[in-house]
Amino acid sequence: MSTAVTKVQAQEFNMNAMEPPEAALHYTAGALSKESSVIVDIVIPDNWHVNANVAADEFLKPSSIEIAARGIEFGEPVWPEPIKEYNEVLEFENLVFKGHFQIKIPVTAVADGYDSLTTNATFHYQACDNSICLAPASVDIRIGSRSGIGASGLKKNDDGADPGTAQELNGFAGNEGFAGNKGAAAAALLLFFALLGGIILNLMPCVLPVLSLKLFSLIKQAGESRKRLLALGLSTTAGILASFWILAGIVAAIKAGGGAAGWGMQFQSAGFIAFMAIILTAFAMSFFGVFEIWLPGSATTKMDAAGHKSGLVGAFFTGALLVLLSTPCSAPFLGTAMGFAFTASTPVLFLFFTAAGLGLALPYLLVSVFPAVLKVFPKPGQWMVTLQKVMGVLLLATVAWLLWIVNEQAGGMGVALFVGIILATVVFSFALGKFAPPGSSFAGEMRILIIGAIAFVFSWFAYFAPQYEQNLNERFEARMAQQVLEGGWYRYSPELVAEFAKAGKTIFIDATADWCLTCKTNEAAVLDREEFRKAMDSAGVVRMKADWTRETPEVNELLRSMGKSGVPAYAIYPKGDISKQVVLPELLTTGLIMEAIP
């Protein structure tokens, strides 16, 4: 072996390491068959190359690729023609790949029940420049996503974050946290995004109904002592954090079981929507004066103590309700941060959820610490009775929104089921007000009412839930079978993306859900307007909707490729090229979208 070769090997772990190559894979257009192929796109960073699939010398490691998918068999990969390049340091002509190149892998067999979304590949390579060769390495590639970091040529989001930030962090995040200065800096930035996104979440459409509760609570507390205000603020914060931690625990459990978790996923569950309808209806009935939420006691001192505790308990559950209603919306900055958190280890997941919770709670904490802000509110008086009823109407409007979601998902039968649940809640509220007024002993009556309510809900769901779920699935499958939607939109599918990419079409993708209020706001303000449609048509842009109302593997993969954990999420594929995906912020304008189109 020459002296030059020894010098190269001695520098294998030189700190001037090449960043992992960008990598993406997709199937050729059309129905999957023996005639199909997988195309793997590899982009090597500037001033570097990798050895070809045939090594020019025994000490060099040749490139190779492995691929697997459920129900699909693959043939031998077809590699591009290698570049012959004389290396003065190595003193021989090497065979290399550099820049952008493609590997074609033929499909040899397709079994019944195959799942192309499980396609995974691993590209093994050894990187070299003109003076050193690094230790062999590999990069994993999943269908519908970009692997690697330092995505050259990709536009940054409007919030300043690179669309590849989440993927970049995956190279530095381990089970114990973040490694390296670059990973720590990127993690700190995303953690700040989670905090900032939590603050902005207070202004998102989904949270506004519960903000009416909090506004009314703040007005009532205007005359409280500073100590009392601080206790109420901390109780609200505790409710917010507890809910975020419960959600984080559910996400961690789903991930541990191999499932797909996402921000706002609970709104895909009919049971959760029913729970929210019951809670909001009960709150509205309380605001109308039908019954009063309180903790009973047998003496005046105990009643005072109960009232004090009730205020803290009410603040806690108001905080919890804020979280439950805020999760169907993804705020600016929050989507990018949570997109990484949902792919990270469990401790990192809890850390990011805590940061988002503190952001959501921060305005209430500040009011508690600086009570002078409450002086802008008028003193409590008779006018608050009217305001309280207005708040009740707003909460019932939220219940109406939930019924609209149910109608979109399951039709009239589903609405009838939920109307029955809501009416049962109203009856229960009147019964509670009649049999359990404040200041009376009502232990026996409460037990009867609670047992009756549980029996009613259980029997209702035992009879109707199977029919509801079957109807919901049938309607959703029918929706997914539609390729062309109203207004010139196409239903998203990786196969359709591949077809339009083959035709050289630029694609705009809207990942949405029926239960996402921010999505609906963007649709009303921008995406459904004639101005937007004409702008897209004149630019020759294909518009696609990815429906996440119910969980689907295809949309899960799409969101993961965008570095997002929930909806809304928007992306542009210039000329259908998924490797140059441009991710847009959660709040849109027509001008912003047009500026992002190359």
Side-chain angles (χ1 to χ4, degrees):
M1 188 178 296
S2 69
T3 305
V5 170
T6 305
K7 178 181 179 183
V8 170
Q9 289 179 313
Q11 297 186 62
E12 278 184 344
F13 298 100
N14 188 291
M15 292 303 293
N16 185 27
M18 184 188 84
E19 292 182 337
E22 296 173 44
L25 63 84
H26 64 274
Y27 284 86
T28 50
L32 192 60
S33 68
K34 292 182 181 180
E35 306 301 320
S36 303
S37 298
V38 172
I39 306 299
V40 181
D41 283 278
I42 307 289
V43 180
I44 306 299
D46 294 341
N47 303 318
W48 289 88
H49 61 258
V50 298
N51 299 322
N53 57 306
V54 178
D57 195 277
E58 61 180 1
F59 78 88
L60 293 175
K61 180 73 173 178
S63 294
S64 63
I65 191 163
E66 301 170 354
I67 188 167
R70 187 183 307 152
I72 306 173
E73 295 181 11
F74 301 93
E76 291 297 317
V78 179
W79 295 82
E81 190 71 23
I83 300 170
K84 294 181 180 180
E85 189 173 79
Y86 184 79
N87 190 302
E88 296 180 356
V89 176
L90 299 178
E91 298 177 349
F92 64 77
E93 190 173 64
N94 196 10
L95 300 176
V96 303
F97 297 135
K98 58 170 58 178
H100 173 246
F101 63 93
Q102 291 184 330
I103 308 165
K104 184 177 181 179
I105 306 174
V107 173
T108 57
V110 181
D112 292 338
Y114 75 89
D115 187 355
S116 61
L117 293 175
T118 63
T119 307
N120 285 276
T122 303
F123 175 59
H124 302 276
Y125 64 92
Q126 183 180 31
C128 304
D129 65 7
N130 292 328
S131 60
I132 63 170
C133 283
L134 307 178
S138 63
V139 60
D140 293 325
I141 318 163
R142 302 181 65 178
I143 191 166
S145 64
R146 275 191 332 273
S147 298
I149 61 175
S152 59
L154 292 178
K155 294 189 177 182
K156 291 184 178 294
N157 295 340
D158 279 28
D159 58 18
D162 190 291
T165 301
Q167 287 84 349
E168 177 176 338
L169 272 170
N170 284 337
F172 296 96
N175 291 331
E176 303 302 324
F178 303 99
N181 293 334
K182 187 174 182 180
L189 177 62
L190 284 183
L191 200 59
F192 174 71
F193 281 177
L195 178 70
L196 188 59
I199 296 173
I200 298 174
L201 208 54
N202 283 286
L203 304 176
M204 302 306 287
C206 5
V207 187
L208 295 180
V210 189
L211 282 183
S212 65
L213 282 175
K214 199 60 200 169
L215 171 66
F216 189 70
S217 174
L218 289 173
I219 293 172
K220 289 198 299 183
Q221 296 162 12
E224 299 281 3
S225 67
R226 185 164 189 163
K227 182 179 179 181
R228 171 74 169 159
L229 283 173
L230 183 59
L232 290 167
L234 291 174
S235 184
T236 300
T237 302
I240 290 172
L241 290 177
S243 291
F244 266 103
W245 291 334
I246 290 172
L247 286 175
I250 293 172
V251 170
I254 291 174
K255 288 173 58 182
W263 184 260
M265 62 186 176
Q266 67 271 30
F267 275 81
Q268 297 169 343
S269 164
F272 178 80
I273 295 176
F275 169 75
M276 291 303 300
I278 291 170
I279 292 294
L280 291 174
T281 301
F283 264 100
M285 292 301 101
S286 175
F287 270 34
F288 291 144
V290 171
F291 73 98
E292 185 175 335
I293 300 175
W294 67 289
L295 297 180
S298 58
T300 303
T301 54
K302 290 185 178 180
M303 286 289 291
D304 289 341
H308 186 76
K309 291 177 183 176
S310 179
L312 296 181
V313 172
F316 180 91
F317 282 106
T318 300
L321 195 59
L322 272 169
V323 176
L324 294 179
L325 270 182
S326 68
T327 48
C329 290
S330 180
F333 300 101
L334 188 65
T336 302
M338 288 304 180
F340 166 68
F342 274 68
T343 63
S345 60
T346 298
V348 174
L349 176 71
F350 271 85
L351 178 63
F352 273 71
F353 268 67
T354 300
L358 289 174
L360 184 62
L362 189 59
Y364 315 111
L365 277 176
L366 290 176
V367 169
S368 301
V369 175
F370 303 102
V373 176
L374 294 175
K375 291 181 180 179
V376 300
F377 296 123
K379 292 182 178 181
Q382 185 60 33
W383 64 272
M384 291 185 64
V385 176
T386 303
L387 178 62
Q388 182 169 314
K389 292 179 179 179
V390 172
M391 299 298 104
V393 171
L394 290 176
L395 291 179
L396 287 182
T398 308
V399 174
W401 165 62
L402 293 176
L403 286 177
W404 179 82
I405 293 173
V406 171
N407 183 62
E408 291 294 302
Q409 291 185 349
M413 191 276 286
V415 172
L417 168 64
F418 276 79
V419 167
I421 294 173
I422 292 166
L423 290 176
T425 304
V426 172
V427 171
F428 179 81
S429 299
F430 275 97
L432 183 61
K434 180 176 177 60
F435 295 111
S440 65
S441 176
F442 58 90
E445 291 89 343
M446 275 296 295
R447 279 196 293 268
I448 294 172
L449 287 170
I450 291 173
I451 291 172
I454 292 174
F456 173 80
V457 172
F458 178 79
S459 60
W460 194 285
F461 269 100
Y463 180 75
F464 284 104
Q467 299 179 48
Y468 176 86
E469 191 67 24
Q470 180 182 355
N471 187 49
L472 191 152
N473 287 332
E474 288 175 355
R475 286 176 62 91
F476 189 71
E477 287 172 7
R479 288 173 63 180
M480 295 302 290
Q482 292 180 288
Q483 189 177 64
V484 182
L485 310 177
E486 293 181 3
W489 291 84
Y490 289 89
R491 174 76 63 193
Y492 168 80
S493 72
E495 293 77 16
L496 196 56
V497 169
E499 288 183 21
F500 282 119
K502 192 173 182 180
K505 292 285 190 179
T506 295
I507 303 169
F508 171 77
I509 296 181
D510 167 21
T512 182
D514 288 341
W515 39 260
C516 171
L517 270 179
T518 306
C519 303
K520 298 305 175 185
T521 301
N522 280 335
E523 288 170 12
V526 179
L527 303 181
D528 288 345
R529 296 177 69 88
E530 187 70 12
E531 172 192 357
F532 173 76
R533 184 189 65 78
K534 289 182 177 179
M536 292 290 101
D537 289 346
S538 63
V541 177
V542 173
R543 292 168 288 142
M544 285 190 182
K545 279 189 184 292
D547 193 341
W548 205 53
T549 302
R550 300 277 283 174
E551 181 189 349
T552 61
E554 290 182 345
V555 182
N556 288 343
E557 285 293 334
L558 172 66
L559 292 173
R560 190 178 292 114
S561 75
M562 296 163 68
K564 301 291 185 180
S565 61
V567 292
Y570 307 99
I572 292 172
Y573 294 160
K575 297 185 178 179
D577 188 349
I578 64 173
S579 67
K580 295 181 179 178
Q581 181 189 75
V582 180
V583 180
L584 301 173
E586 284 81 358
L587 299 179
L588 299 175
T589 64
T590 300
L592 184 151
I593 297 170
M594 296 306 296
E595 288 176 6
I597 296 173

